[in-house]
């Protein structure tokens, strides 16, 4: 078997494993109550279980594994960050935002249920993320738990993901340059991908000064991820992507593809991945999965 | 001066003081960035600053004061719980939820800005609450901070406030009995009022077994608060209330007033307040403000 084949197997196994773990943990932590709140929890489960690449939990658990963190703790933190990601997709898909009809190959939550339930299910998953991180089952050490809360709070609020989503709304009526689009994407997608890596390092009790190379890795794959998303939106297949494509051009938004052209954008993404992998030079085989994830990020078609 | 006069002065001063502290702290913690996110933070400030009774921060700081907590720490925790309350109002006012046009005597956020900004500003205030609690400035002790996070996460998610809001949506098309309406309100309003008292006790390092009487107080005023809200909606003045009234009857919702009648509902609220005050019997003058707050809750007209 070639080196590529070994890496492919490692990645395929890593993706399958985390997908199962995240589904199982959401399932265990979101029991449906026997009263009028049942619809809310069913809606949370509809959006949270059985879809998505689970990229953020994968990154988090990869880093945690490198530092010998107990797998169950890392998966719980992975569920927390995935809950934030899922809530942001639910709200992003709303009619007043992107007005999307399809997500992970099935109807978006506000169509499967209704808008009010979608707003509340997003809000509930948001609170759920911090409930999970606050629980001693995630880490017996309160300092570790509060560090996780800080990292996730900062990455998801106005200074992170939500700030990036706001810039994205403004982008529809503004002519952003490459620098502003880069900043937008670093906030909108990069902040949470960075938090995934950071949270793995927090669980591994890596001191902040020992996280520099991991932050460099996260920054590079974050940008590469978004460039690839732009390419998928530009030339992808809606059925393969599991969501609508061609949206950016219709919305008149500047993207890496519109600013650089598809060819240079693709080159840029590849270069960023190589740079990301270089950040891991101090690690041996234990970082192979992180390296494979970096390559997967630009090679995926959905 | 009569005892009533002294209590009135205490309450008036307490309300004025917390209102100023919460406004000042929101103002300091929400600086407007110099990029495309400015609109998001301006929207957060529009909703968060200069409105509302600040009842949750008042309760939190009252309890914290009783146990000698440094005022600044208690006010920061008060800002966190108020941020959750404000985000829930923003989302509750959306067209797909209650579709309200007026809040605290001014246009609701989605009318002053737009729906997408309102969704994101709510989400950002939600994350902001946990950022504030995670910050060492709220408490140097990580265990205290993570206890605050747990209390607020539980009270605001599907098992608390958001769960109550879901039941409230279902109430429009169901015939709820008194027991179910009580449960709904304990979740929708009671959970967060309870968290306010709980968070004050956490900051005061009161052991869980020493909080029983405070929980009893919170449970009673929570229910009294909601009965009074129903009475204001039933017979109040929109101008005084600062929001639309008569909504429950139009929506066909069962409330304490529709189930008990206005007279018995008012009696019930008064009885609950007396019961709440009895829970504070072990405290001396230091609990006078909490006693005044309990009475204020049923005597207010907005």
């Amino acid at each position: 078997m070639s080196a590529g084949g070994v890496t492919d197997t490692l990645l395929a196994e890593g993706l399958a494993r985390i997908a199962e773990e995240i589904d199982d943990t959401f399932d265990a932590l979101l029991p449906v109550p026997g009263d009028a709140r049942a619809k809310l929890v069913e809606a949370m489960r509809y959006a949270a279980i059985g879809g998505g690449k689970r990229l953020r939990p994968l990154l988090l658990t990869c880093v945690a594994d490198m530092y010998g963190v107990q797998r169950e703790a890392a998966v719980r933190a992975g569920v927390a960050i995935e809950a934030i990601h899922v809530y942001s997709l639910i709200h992003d898909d709303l009619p007043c935002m992107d007005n999307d009809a399809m997500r992970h190959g099935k109807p978006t939550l506000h169509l499967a249920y209704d808008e009010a339930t979608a707003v509340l299910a997003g809000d509930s998953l948001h609170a759920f993320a911090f409930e999970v991180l606050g629980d001693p089952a995630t880490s017996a050490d309160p300092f570790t738990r509060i560090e996780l809360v800080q990292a996730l709070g900062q990455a998801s609020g106005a200074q992170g993901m939500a700030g990036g989503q706001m810039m994205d709304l403004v982008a529809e009526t503004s002519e952003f340059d490459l620098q502003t689009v880069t900043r937008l994407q670093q906030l909108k997608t990069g902040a949470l991908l960075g938090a995934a890596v950071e949270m793995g390092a927090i669980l591994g009790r890596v001191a902040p000064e020992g996280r520099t190379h991991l932050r460099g890795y996260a920054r590079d794959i974050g940008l590469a991820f978004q460039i690839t998303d732009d390419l998928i939106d530009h030339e992808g297949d809606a059925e393969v992507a599991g969501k609508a494509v061609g949206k950016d051009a219709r919305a008149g938004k500047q993207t890496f593809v519109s600013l650089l052209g598809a060819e240079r954008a693709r080159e840029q993404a590849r270069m960023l991945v190589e740079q990301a992998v270089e950040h891991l030079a101090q690690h041996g085989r234990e970082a192979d999965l992180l390296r494979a994830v970096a390559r997967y990020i630009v090679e995926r078609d959905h």
Side-chain angles (χ1 to χ4, degrees), chain A:
Chain A
M1 198 185 261
S2 71
V6 172
T7 301
D8 289 352
T9 308
L10 194 67
L11 178 68
E13 284 175 1
L15 283 166
R17 182 182 182 195
I18 194 68
E20 191 181 343
E21 288 170 324
I22 294 296
D23 277 353
D24 288 351
T25 310
F26 269 127
D27 181 48
L29 295 178
L30 292 172
V32 179
D35 60 23
R37 291 170 301 152
K39 187 178 169 189
L40 176 63
V41 181
E42 280 161 9
M44 292 166 77
R45 294 173 62 93
Y46 176 89
I49 298 176
K53 295 175 289 292
R54 310 304 196 187
L55 187 58
R56 291 150 196 83
L58 178 62
L59 285 167
L60 194 158
T61 52
C62 276
V63 173
D65 278 348
M66 273 169 47
Y67 295 101
V69 175
Q70 198 212 353
R71 184 79 185 181
E72 196 200 328
V75 170
R76 284 182 60 97
V79 156
I81 199 167
E82 189 70 7
I84 293 288
H85 176 57
V86 171
Y87 112 67
S88 81
L89 296 179
I90 295 172
H91 285 184
D92 228 20
D93 288 339
L94 286 169
C96 69
M97 302 275 285
D98 283 356
N99 195 21
D100 273 313
M102 221 165 108
R103 172 70 66 184
H104 300 144
K106 60 185 186 180
T108 46
L109 190 60
H110 62 273
L111 294 178
Y113 286 75
D114 53 73
E115 275 186 62
T117 302
V119 170
L120 283 178
D123 291 342
S124 299
L125 283 165
H126 194 167
F128 170 80
F130 291 102
E131 278 183 81
V132 170
L133 293 185
D135 193 309
T138 302
S139 166
D141 174 26
F143 195 75
T144 298
R145 269 142 60 207
I146 202 70
E147 265 205 274
L148 293 172
V149 166
Q150 282 183 274
L152 194 55
Q154 273 174 21
S156 61
Q159 297 170 64
M161 182 184 76
Q165 287 174 297
M166 188 70 221
M167 289 181 76
D168 206 29
L169 288 176
V170 175
E172 291 182 18
T173 51
S174 303
E175 282 290 301
F176 281 179
D177 58 13
L178 186 61
Q179 198 190 342
T180 311
V181 168
T182 304
R183 174 88 183 117
L184 183 169
Q185 299 300 355
Q186 274 169 345
L187 293 170
K188 192 183 164 207
T189 323
L192 211 55
L193 291 171
V197 169
E198 193 85 19
M199 289 166 76
I202 289 167
L203 281 170
R205 304 196 187 214
V206 183
E209 57 274 18
R211 299 177 199 160
T212 312
H213 68 295
L214 295 171
R215 287 179 181 152
Y217 166 87
R219 200 169 44 240
D220 291 336
I221 63 160
L223 215 48
F225 179 87
Q226 192 54 49
I227 295 173
T228 307
D229 250 20
D230 287 354
L231 285 162
I232 291 170
D233 186 72
H234 178 67
E235 51 201 33
D237 179 321
E239 209 156 306
V240 176
K243 60 184 178 184
V245 296
K247 285 159 46 186
D248 292 331
R250 281 197 299 279
K253 268 187 220 172
Q254 298 288 9
T255 69
F256 291 112
V257 175
S258 72
L259 288 164
L260 296 172
E263 202 44 52
R264 277 181 61 209
R266 203 183 319 274
E267 263 170 46
Q268 181 74 14
R270 287 203 193 108
M271 198 205 69
L272 283 163
V273 165
E274 292 318 311
Q275 199 172 290
V277 169
E278 275 167 37
H279 282 297
L280 303 175
Q282 69 185 77
H283 295 287
R285 300 282 309 267
E286 76 277 13
D288 275 356
L289 186 50
L290 271 187
R291 294 184 186 101
V293 170
R295 299 216 159 83
Y296 165 67
I297 272 176
V298 298
E299 283 159 14
R300 72 201 159 89
D301 53 9
H302 68 284

